[in-house]
Amino acid sequence: VEPVIAPVVEEVKKEEPKPVKTEPVIKATGAKAEYQAFAYDLVINQYIWSEEDFEALVNLWTKESDWNPNAVNKSSGACNIPQALPCNKISNAYGDNSWQSGIKWGLSYIRQRYGTPTGAWQHFQNKGWY
């Protein structure tokens, strides 16, 4: 009688799905941190852009307005966190000129014109505007 040898079965590990990120690493404090957390959620979970894209966005909008929703460019009239020009583009698109609407408008503009915040940041670094 020959012994019965059971075949070796390797256990296949299934990869766990990556959790949706909701907690950004934000260096800002106060209202600026709230604005950046709102933008981070949209960048990562709605636009499905990368952490690097979020970092590029922080750099870009820090240069443009320092994340101040009340910022208005004295020479051009561009306004809000993303520095929309003309300023009424935000309220025309979202019905108001709140910081939330400014961020939504700015991200949509970046997607349409540059593809990603990294693309917009690169353009800004080359030209001084986006």
Side-chain angles (χ1 to χ4, degrees), residues 36 52-67 81-83 106-107 109-110 114 116-125 128-130:
Q36 289 181 8
E52 291 77 20
D53 284 316
F54 177 71
E55 290 174 25
L57 182 73
V58 169
N59 292 335
L60 178 65
W61 287 353
T62 296
K63 290 285 189 183
E64 285 290 302
S65 67
D66 198 26
W67 290 82
I81 293 169
Q83 291 291 280
L107 294 175
Y109 170 78
I110 287 170
Y114 302 100
T116 65
T118 299
W121 176 233
Q122 289 169 344
H123 185 273
F124 181 91
Q125 290 177 301
W129 58 272
Y130 84 110

Side-chain angles (χ1 to χ4, degrees), residues 35-96:
Y35 308 150
Q36 289 181 8
F38 182 82
Y40 180 88
D41 182 57
L42 294 173
V43 164
I44 299 299
N45 297 315
Q46 180 177 325
Y47 286 88
I48 317 299
W49 289 331
S50 68
E51 296 280 339
E52 291 77 20
D53 284 316
F54 177 71
E55 290 174 25
L57 182 73
V58 169
N59 292 335
L60 178 65
W61 287 353
T62 296
K63 290 285 189 183
E64 285 290 302
S65 67
D66 198 26
W67 290 82
N68 178 356
N70 299 311
V72 177
N73 183 297
K74 290 178 184 173
S75 62
S76 71
C79 76
N80 206 307
I81 293 169
Q83 291 291 280
L85 182 64
C87 191
N88 67 356
K89 283 184 175 182
I90 296 169
S91 58
N92 287 348
Y94 292 95
D96 62 38

